[in-house]
Amino acid sequence: MTSTDGFSWTKADGLRPGIPCVGAIQPPTNIKSADIEFDVIVVGAGYAGLTAARDISVAGIKVLLLEARDRIGGRSWSSNIDGYPYEMGGTWVYWGQATIWREIARYGMQDELESSYDFSRGINKFLLASTDGTQSFTHEEEDALMQTSLSKLFNVDGRDGRDALPMPHSAHLTPSDRRFDTISVADRLIEIKDILTPNERLCLEGFVLLCSGATLATTSFYEMLHWWALSGYTYEGCINHLVRFKFRGGQSSFALRFFGEALDSKNMSYAFSQPVVSVQNGPHKVQVTTRSGRTFTAKRMISAVPLNVLDAVAFDPPLQEGKAAAAKTGHVNQTIKVHAEIRDRDLRSFTGISYPHNGLIYGFGDGETPAGNTHVVAFGGLHKHFHPEDDINRTISEFHGFTPMHIERVVFHNWSRDEFAKGAWFFSAPGLLASHFEELRARQGNIFFASSDWASGWRSFIDGAIEEGTRAAASVRADLIGRFKI
Amino acid sequence: MTSTDGFSWTKADGLRPGIPCVGAIQPPTNIKSADIEFDVIVVGAGYAGLTAARDISVAGIKVLLLEARDRIGGRSWSSNIDGYPYEMGGTWVYWGQATIWREIARYGMQDELESSYDFSRGINKFLLASTDGTQSFTHEEEDALMQTSLSKLFNVDGRDGRDALPMPHSAHLTPSDRRFDTISVADRLIEIKDILTPNERLCLEGFVLLCSGATLATTSFYEMLHWWALSGYTYEGCINHLVRFKFRGGQSSFALRFFGEALDSKNMSYAFSQPVVSVQNGPHKVQVTTRSGRTFTAKRMISAVPLNVLDAVAFDPPLQEGKAAAAKTGHVNQTIKVHAEIRDRDLRSFTGISYPHNGLIYGFGDGETPAGNTHVVAFGGLHKHFHPEDDINRTISEFHGFTPMHIERVVFHNWSRDEFAKGAWFFSAPGLLASHFEELRARQGNIFFASSDWASGWRSFIDGAIEEGTRAAASVRADLIGRFKI
């Protein structure tokens, strides 16, 4: 199967839109023309929607899953090219992420992971490329540099943030959380500027921009601190939770488990390539209309639509004030994630930051392809933002910002121009969460809102999406059964 | 409600068996006399059985839950006395424990936790009582002492165990795991004896015995290393994962969520105080007989019976060789866990090890009762084992082994004399896991075996029980539906 999403480039074929994906679903629908009424409609087949649709259908409730794209997975999907999976969005998983790990264990996939890193051979170096030239460090030196710099950033309490944000899974922001959400990382950097070495500053800024996909001035210090707290207040914890373990078979192979289980319950109908344009949130039912003009009704709806495209759906009555304001503000993550297959085997063990002059800021060896080449992944964002498909030669040259390499293939998904995402994973500018977090999580009439964008724990992560899908399904079920209390 | 389990003592009332429990279920059964055939029978209403029964019943499958006791929760249950919960067994939870945290988030209970520790007032000391007298340390000094000593114990690879046991959630033991399972902690202590200070050795041994409830010679070094790896290879991780956060309302309030949700599905029948004595594992159905002579049949059965009492059930055909051998060997944890309500408010912030002369080895301030008294919890095990109800004055004097205190109340459950547990949480002597881990996890005919005792991740923990209940329910459902593959 091929999705119309994504791009690939090789010298031989040039730039092409659309890449293979096992999560592209054929046939695109299993609805019969008479199927217009359901118990629940789930809008969005990312992990939040998939989880919700699975939990509801397995519980014997008739569900319709509507998806705008031709594939499952939303902002997390993989493309298998020549037998090797490239991850277009959400990639890494860890046993410290509760809701996703529960699913991995439940599907018996705990032995289907591998580490992105392999420091057993090759150059085995951390390259720090700045406007002053490139420095080279061992990975132990890299770890120490990252740990001390991040510790300085988050040490607002003499305990590296442990007292400042002790309960990172709370469903509520504390007054202290709200205070930290009034400032950006740029603001915080001013406070600590005298205690950072130049290299610490480069590492710190590179790492923060990797996380937020924004600029330092538009990265909420609270949200960054929240990631740090979730990761256990250490750089080692960050690496383990954020960027170490991935599925050997790619994310879409995992997403298919949810979809398949839901289908096998015989309680799920679905339709792909059916963007929802309007929703009537009535007192007794919800009516959903797609771009193609099809209309479906249900007792309840779960919106798994991401924040940045929530205002593309016409809700009637309109979204509550807080939700509408948050949707208008949006999140700020415009991450560029690009993969390269390169001939340089020695670079399997490279990690690098190229900053502040380069468009791709953070990169590392992420695997070995069946051809024996090295797979490198690199990230940019709003800082020096570019669109990788507009000038593939520039995109290739961005990789050379880390170190020279011989690029045979480039693969990516441009999340910024994706009309169904308008950005990558959630990351907030100061103020958004303090103002609207609880409102984003609230139900409105017969609609429940589930998205990683407002998860209480691993917000922005697949784990948060599953947390939210789980919450929405349990709430809808309790609502329809009218008995047990979630 | 009151359970016949547990004991309490006050000066006024003396020692009394049976204590209050919100998890004691009335009426004890909802079965009608005609109900003898089910889709699935779950034997055991600890967290493994509760999770399995809930998942199956919610999925529309008719389940019968049989429990030997008068209450839910198995080896984890709480007794509310004068409005304050005392935890008789499994207590602490953490967001690094995936399957339990998923449930906490799903039931919206992530803000219903509190820390066992409060170092904000009182003596705020770690007391290390040995045969040479009592030394006093700050908690920072305690943390440093524990970290260095545990690091020495687990540093088999120059990286504190990170390379030796990198994937602690694997469902399989590696050759390296098996090697570490050939030795005990006592064996490992011989290897590192020259690098431990006397205080490090006391702390190390006290901590290990807290974990295993056994002796040093009967504590598998592999299993101890597995706990360390699960906890993130640091003492801070151990404290966070093992002993920090508990439910304000007590464990039984959490267990009731599972039971209530299952009941509300209208697909669950149950009967308490019905120990299962025999099971016929036939080709097309399973027939289960209880001590009272009642017989039930189902297409599948899930045994959530703990390892140490598995051979009290007569299976026909008998348990597979590996399971039978493991059941005969059993696990070695004979933890004594005793609570005291004391008048000494200053001891709220005490932690202590009293070793090797004392029967209670590890203790600390665990809460403040509504009367304004301090709640202290203390642990012993096979080392200097005793039965707290046999001589309550001795039990009280064991508390004084940490420091003098004024005891008003004692509460406990004697897990060693509990015919339905024969021990506390799973802990293995060398060899058991290397020989039988995979066999313990295998199905046999129409019976699936679910217990924290053979969980792949947080084995021995509530998290492991939920992992196992989840796995069994998913497997049974896939088996009965005959379609989706777990």
Side-chain angles (χ1 to χ4, degrees):
Chain A
M1 268 84 71
T2 296
S3 172
T4 59
D5 280 349
F7 292 89
S8 70
W9 172 90
T10 60
K11 208 167 191 174
D13 294 338
L15 183 74
R16 291 186 171 186
I19 49 180
C21 178
V22 297
I25 303 298
Q26 286 296 337
T29 183
N30 67 351
I31 310 180
K32 300 178 194 85
S33 57
D35 294 344
I36 52 167
E37 282 201 27
F38 298 87
D39 294 323
V40 182
I41 295 172
V42 175
V43 178
Y47 277 103
L50 284 176
T51 303
R54 182 201 62 176
D55 284 5
I56 290 170
S57 59
V58 163
I61 298 170
K62 295 285 175 193
V63 64
L64 170 64
L65 177 65
L66 291 175
E67 166 59 46
R69 309 176 187 278
D70 56 11
R71 60 168 181 82
I72 56 174
R75 285 172 282 176
S76 298
W77 68 292
S78 50
S79 179
N80 287 297
I81 299 179
D82 293 350
Y84 183 87
Y86 295 91
E87 296 285 358
M88 298 298 102
T91 303
W92 294 281
V93 303
Y94 193 56
W95 43 88
Q97 298 176 324
T99 60
I100 197 171
W101 194 259
R102 182 262 186 186
E103 300 300 335
I104 291 170
R106 183 171 178 276
Y107 288 127
M109 296 173 77
Q110 62 268 64
D111 289 304
E112 295 183 27
L113 301 178
E114 64 183 9
S115 174
S116 277
Y117 301 107
D118 178 0
F119 294 161
S120 67
R121 60 184 170 81
I123 72 160
N124 212 6
K125 291 287 182 202
F126 167 55
L127 306 175
L128 182 54
S130 74
T131 42
D132 298 331
T134 296
Q135 305 169 74
S136 169
F137 300 91
T138 68
H139 289 303
E140 290 71 27
E141 289 167 338
E142 173 188 14
D143 291 348
L145 199 48
M146 295 302 299
Q147 172 62 35
T148 57
S149 61
L150 288 170
S151 165
K152 288 176 184 178
L153 180 66
F154 296 119
N155 191 22
V156 290
D157 52 8
R159 299 227 309 130
D160 284 359
R162 287 171 176 78
D163 293 337
L165 212 169
M167 303 294 278
H169 287 264
S170 173
H172 303 283
L173 267 64
T174 67
S176 159
D177 295 340
R178 287 170 202 283
R179 228 165 21 245
F180 288 123
D181 197 43
T182 62
I183 66 169
S184 68
V185 168
D187 298 329
R188 172 66 183 157
L189 280 168
I190 292 169
E191 295 175 6
I192 61 168
K193 67 179 167 23
D194 297 334
I195 59 168
L196 288 176
T197 67
N199 280 346
E200 283 174 352
R201 185 161 186 131
L202 286 170
C203 287
L204 189 50
E205 295 188 5
F207 185 80
V208 167
L209 295 176
L210 167 71
C211 296
S212 75
T215 62
L216 297 170
T218 53
T219 299
S220 159
F221 179 64
Y222 164 71
E223 190 64 347
M224 204 61 246
L225 179 62
H226 188 234
W227 281 41
W228 175 251
L230 288 165
S231 299
Y233 313 95
T234 66
Y235 174 67
E236 180 186 9
C238 287
I239 291 297
N240 285 339
H241 284 82
L242 307 181
V243 75
R244 185 180 291 281
F245 294 108
K246 58 181 182 174
F247 288 103
R248 273 199 203 92
Q251 272 294 343
S252 293
S253 71
F254 179 54
L256 271 176
R257 300 294 188 107
F258 293 69
F259 187 74
E261 187 180 354
L263 262 190
D264 287 345
S265 76
K266 301 183 186 169
N267 291 317
M268 184 177 78
S269 302
Y270 68 84
F272 287 83
S273 304
Q274 292 284 341
V276 167
V277 291
S278 66
V279 174
Q280 268 206 307
N281 187 358
H284 304 298
K285 63 177 186 179
V286 182
Q287 182 172 307
V288 173
T289 305
T290 70
R291 194 179 281 175
S292 64
R294 293 196 68 168
T295 293
F296 305 96
T297 63
K299 296 172 191 148
R300 300 289 184 279
M301 172 182 142
I302 293 172
S303 166
V305 177
L307 178 64
N308 278 8
V309 293
L310 200 51
D311 59 7
V313 179
F315 288 91
D316 174 24
L319 290 181
Q320 290 153 343
E321 204 176 329
K323 280 192 210 294
K328 196 173 169 201
T329 304
H331 75 75
V332 288
N333 187 335
Q334 297 296 330
T335 286
I336 306 158
K337 181 180 188 184
V338 195
H339 299 276
E341 182 178 5
I342 66 175
R343 290 206 306 278
D344 317 79
R345 301 190 67 167
D346 278 1
L347 292 182
R348 176 70 185 91
S349 52
F350 117 94
T351 60
I353 288 178
S354 186
Y355 178 77
H357 55 297
N358 214 49
L360 291 177
I361 297 171
Y362 199 101
F364 54 92
D366 193 11
E368 182 182 328
T369 70
N373 291 324
T374 292
H375 159 215
V376 165
V377 64
F379 294 85
L382 269 189
H383 175 88
K384 310 260 176 208
H385 193 260
F386 66 102
H387 295 287
E389 70 274 28
D390 283 356
D391 178 356
I392 198 71
N393 291 322
R394 179 193 165 174
T395 303
I396 288 170
S397 76
E398 290 285 349
F399 277 96
H400 300 304
F402 299 103
T403 188
M405 51 183 85
H406 301 84
I407 297 180
E408 303 227 316
R409 184 194 310 276
V410 176
V411 192
F412 60 91
H413 180 126
N414 185 342
W415 295 102
S416 296
R417 282 190 179 148
D418 180 330
E419 73 162 308
F420 304 122
K422 292 190 180 167
W425 61 88
F426 174 91
F427 214 100
S428 48
L432 179 70
L433 288 167
S435 303
H436 301 305
F437 177 56
E438 280 92 350
E439 295 166 335
L440 282 167
R441 294 172 58 78
R443 74 182 281 182
Q444 180 174 349
N446 287 316
I447 307 179
F448 294 77
F449 293 83
S451 171
S452 177
D453 297 7
W454 45 84
S456 66
W458 285 96
R459 189 163 50 247
S460 310
F461 292 79
I462 301 170
D463 184 81
I466 300 174
E467 177 202 320
E468 279 287 290
T470 303
R471 178 174 78 106
S475 302
V476 163
R477 192 173 149 262
D479 214 34
L480 291 179
I481 291 181
R483 293 169 62 106
F484 80 96
K485 181 90 173 70
I486 294 296
Chain B
M1 268 83 73
T2 297
S3 172
T4 59
D5 279 350
F7 291 89
S8 71
W9 172 91
T10 61
K11 207 168 192 176
D13 294 337
L15 184 73
R16 290 186 170 185
I19 48 179
C21 179
V22 297
I25 302 298
Q26 286 296 336
T29 183
N30 67 351
I31 310 180
K32 299 178 194 83
S33 56
D35 293 346
I36 51 167
E37 281 202 27
F38 298 86
D39 293 324
V40 182
I41 296 172
V42 175
V43 178
Y47 277 102
L50 284 176
T51 302
R54 182 202 62 175
D55 284 6
I56 290 169
S57 60
V58 162
I61 298 170
K62 296 285 175 192
V63 63
L64 169 65
L65 177 65
L66 291 175
E67 166 59 46
R69 309 175 188 279
D70 56 12
R71 59 168 183 81
I72 57 174
R75 285 172 282 177
S76 298
W77 68 292
S78 50
S79 179
N80 286 295
I81 299 178
D82 294 351
Y84 183 86
Y86 295 92
E87 296 284 358
M88 298 298 101
T91 303
W92 293 282
V93 301
Y94 193 56
W95 43 88
Q97 298 176 322
T99 60
I100 196 170
W101 194 261
R102 183 262 186 183
E103 301 300 335
I104 290 170
R106 183 171 179 276
Y107 288 128
M109 296 173 78
Q110 62 269 64
D111 288 304
E112 295 183 26
L113 301 178
E114 64 184 9
S115 174
S116 278
Y117 302 106
D118 179 359
F119 294 160
S120 66
R121 60 183 170 80
I123 72 162
N124 212 5
K125 291 287 183 202
F126 167 55
L127 306 175
L128 182 54
S130 74
T131 42
D132 298 330
T134 298
Q135 305 170 74
S136 169
F137 300 91
T138 66
H139 290 302
E140 289 72 26
E141 289 166 338
E142 174 189 12
D143 291 348
L145 200 48
M146 296 300 302
Q147 172 62 36
T148 57
S149 61
L150 288 171
S151 164
K152 288 175 184 178
L153 180 67
F154 296 118
N155 191 23
V156 291
D157 52 9
R159 297 228 311 131
D160 284 358
R162 287 170 176 79
D163 293 336
L165 211 168
M167 301 295 277
H169 287 265
S170 172
H172 303 283
L173 267 65
T174 66
S176 159
D177 296 341
R178 288 171 201 280
R179 227 162 27 242
F180 289 123
D181 198 43
T182 62
I183 66 168
S184 67
V185 168
D187 297 329
R188 172 66 182 156
L189 281 169
I190 292 168
E191 296 175 6
I192 61 168
K193 67 178 166 26
D194 296 335
I195 59 169
L196 288 176
T197 68
N199 281 344
E200 283 174 351
R201 186 162 186 131
L202 287 169
C203 288
L204 189 50
E205 295 188 4
F207 185 81
V208 166
L209 295 176
L210 167 72
C211 296
S212 75
T215 62
L216 298 170
T218 52
T219 298
S220 158
F221 179 64
Y222 164 70
E223 189 65 345
M224 203 61 246
L225 179 63
H226 188 234
W227 281 42
W228 175 253
L230 288 166
S231 298
Y233 313 94
T234 66
Y235 173 67
E236 180 187 8
C238 288
I239 291 297
N240 285 339
H241 285 83
L242 307 181
V243 75
R244 184 180 292 278
F245 294 108
K246 58 182 182 173
F247 287 103
R248 273 199 203 92
Q251 272 294 344
S252 294
S253 71
F254 179 55
L256 272 177
R257 300 293 189 106
F258 293 68
F259 187 74
E261 187 179 354
L263 263 190
D264 287 346
S265 75
K266 301 183 186 171
N267 291 317
M268 183 177 77
S269 303
Y270 68 83
F272 287 83
S273 303
Q274 293 282 343
V276 167
V277 291
S278 67
V279 174
Q280 268 207 307
N281 187 359
H284 303 298
K285 63 178 186 178
V286 182
Q287 182 172 308
V288 173
T289 305
T290 70
R291 194 179 282 176
S292 64
R294 294 196 68 168
T295 293
F296 305 95
T297 62
K299 295 171 192 148
R300 300 289 184 278
M301 173 182 140
I302 293 172
S303 167
V305 177
L307 178 65
N308 278 8
V309 292
L310 200 51
D311 60 8
V313 179
F315 288 91
D316 173 25
L319 290 180
Q320 290 153 343
E321 203 176 330
K323 280 192 210 295
K328 196 173 170 202
T329 305
H331 75 76
V332 289
N333 187 336
Q334 296 296 329
T335 285
I336 306 158
K337 181 181 187 184
V338 196
H339 299 276
E341 182 178 4
I342 66 176
R343 290 207 305 278
D344 317 79
R345 303 191 67 169
D346 278 2
L347 293 182
R348 176 70 185 91
S349 52
F350 116 94
T351 60
I353 287 176
S354 186
Y355 177 78
H357 55 297
N358 214 49
L360 291 178
I361 295 170
Y362 199 100
F364 54 91
D366 193 9
E368 182 182 326
T369 71
N373 291 324
T374 292
H375 159 215
V376 166
V377 64
F379 294 84
L382 270 188
H383 175 87
K384 309 263 177 206
H385 193 259
F386 66 102
H387 295 287
E389 71 273 28
D390 283 355
D391 179 355
I392 197 73
N393 290 321
R394 178 192 167 176
T395 303
I396 287 171
S397 77
E398 290 285 351
F399 277 96
H400 300 304
F402 297 104
T403 188
M405 51 183 85
H406 300 86
I407 295 180
E408 303 225 315
R409 186 195 309 277
V410 176
V411 191
F412 61 90
H413 180 127
N414 185 341
W415 294 103
S416 296
R417 282 191 179 145
D418 181 329
E419 73 163 306
F420 303 123
K422 293 191 179 167
W425 62 89
F426 174 92
F427 213 100
S428 49
L432 179 70
L433 288 167
S435 303
H436 301 303
F437 177 57
E438 280 92 350
E439 294 166 334
L440 282 167
R441 294 171 60 79
R443 75 182 281 182
Q444 180 174 349
N446 287 316
I447 307 180
F448 294 77
F449 293 83
S451 170
S452 177
D453 298 7
W454 46 83
S456 67
W458 285 96
R459 190 162 51 246
S460 310
F461 291 79
I462 302 170
D463 184 81
I466 300 174
E467 176 201 321
E468 279 288 292
T470 303
R471 179 174 78 107
S475 302
V476 163
R477 191 172 150 265
D479 214 33
L480 291 179
I481 291 181
R483 293 170 62 106
F484 80 97
K485 181 92 173 69
I486 295 295

